[in-house]
Amino acid sequence: GIQVEQSPPDLILQEGANSTLRCNFSDSVNNLQWFHQNPWGQLINLFYIPSGTKQNGRLSATTVATERYSLLYISSSQTTDSGVYFCAVGSKSTFGDGTTLTVKP
Amino acid sequence: DTGVSQDPRHKITKRGQNVTFRCDPISEHNRLYWYRQTLGQGPEFLTYFQNEAQLEKSRLLSDRFSAERPKGSFSTLEIQRTEQGDSAMYLCASSPQPRRVGTDTQYFGPGTRLTVL
């Protein structure tokens, strides 16, 4: 099956800083999503982005399908951005192990 | 649109008992997914329905697990003869029939946390 690797596993930022989260996957896919899991466990869909670039407010994502990676950018981070960020790829939504982001005030 | 709901939110049971969870997807979403998530890991795919048809099952779904979506609306996930290793968060997600390639967005429910003693 598809292997999904996310980096870094943990990230600690001061409020206002920018960050880049990476998702590498082992096979070509036509389905890639980024999710944020808040401290209460709720998974929120951020982007459906099998290729190209999308932006939503302070968040943007880029997937380079031919090179099998995706990046999630968070600008001007806020404490409410804390939580775990997952990418999920493929028709069975294979998830990586996530990046745990902590934004300190 | 009230979002995906799951019931119960928490379940504590003794080893060997049967448990059943319910998921109500967003109305008119014809795709429904079940996942299992353990601490520190990403969700793992269990099974997927399109309307009432169960189209895919993970090898993680042993014969003690069964899922149904009888009328293509809500779904149930039953675990028979629970084991301590079944303790996890069980997540449900739904998505609409994609109108075009690139729009298969999944919306997750809050999950059911199962603890097997």
Side-chain angles (χ1 to χ4, degrees):
Chain A
I2 296 173
Q3 304 299 311
V4 181
E5 292 185 0
Q6 293 188 243
S7 60
D10 299 281
L11 187 58
I12 300 174
L13 301 174
Q14 285 298 131
E15 199 168 27
N18 302 329
S19 61
T20 301
L21 284 56
R22 187 175 180 105
C23 172
N24 292 334
F25 43 96
S26 63
D27 203 352
S28 58
V29 296
N30 58 7
N31 182 334
L32 188 147
Q33 300 176 83
W34 281 98
F35 294 91
H36 175 220
Q37 189 164 42
N38 65 24
W40 296 271
Q42 178 69 52
L43 276 159
I44 306 295
N45 187 288
L46 299 175
F47 294 104
Y48 179 89
I49 186 164
S51 63
T53 297
K54 290 186 178 179
Q55 181 159 4
N56 184 3
R58 297 181 296 104
L59 302 181
S60 64
T62 295
T63 297
V64 184
T66 54
E67 297 187 21
R68 300 179 186 172
Y69 73 88
S70 183
L71 303 173
L72 178 69
Y73 306 97
I74 304 174
S75 64
S76 304
S77 57
Q78 301 176 358
T79 56
T80 52
D81 294 332
S82 295
V84 185
Y85 289 81
F86 290 103
C87 70
V89 304
S91 60
K92 296 181 182 179
S93 290
T94 301
F95 280 73
D97 285 339
T99 292
T100 300
L101 175 65
T102 304
V103 180
K104 295 188 173 182
Chain B
D1 183 353
T2 58
V4 179
S5 62
Q6 293 187 244
D7 184 69
R9 296 291 305 275
H10 303 273
K11 178 69 176 180
I12 299 173
T13 191
K14 293 183 178 179
R15 189 176 53 184
Q17 298 295 305
N18 299 343
V19 294
T20 300
F21 310 140
R22 175 177 171 128
C23 171
D24 287 87
I26 294 171
S27 60
E28 298 182 359
H29 278 193
N30 61 357
R31 295 183 174 185
L32 188 148
Y33 308 79
W34 285 100
Y35 295 87
R36 180 174 68 187
Q37 186 177 23
T38 53
L39 197 62
Q41 306 290 318
E44 295 175 295
F45 171 83
L46 293 178
T47 191
Y48 152 59
F49 291 85
Q50 179 150 327
N51 299 313
E52 65 275 11
Q54 188 173 16
L55 296 186
E56 281 195 70
K57 291 171 60 173
S58 165
R59 58 183 172 79
L60 293 174
L61 213 66
S62 76
D63 57 3
R64 296 186 298 106
F65 288 69
S66 63
E68 294 182 343
R69 194 182 183 197
K71 296 183 180 180
S73 57
F74 72 92
S75 176
T76 58
L77 178 67
E78 181 183 16
I79 308 174
Q80 296 181 327
R81 305 181 303 280
T82 52
E83 302 172 356
Q84 287 185 327
D86 296 331
S87 296
M89 176 77 85
Y90 289 83
L91 295 163
C92 175
S94 70
S95 67
Q97 180 75 34
R99 296 183 184 87
R100 62 183 190 278
V101 173
T103 61
D104 189 13
T105 298
Q106 293 185 24
Y107 298 86
F108 277 80
T112 294
R113 182 166 296 284
L114 173 66
T115 301
V116 181
L117 302 176

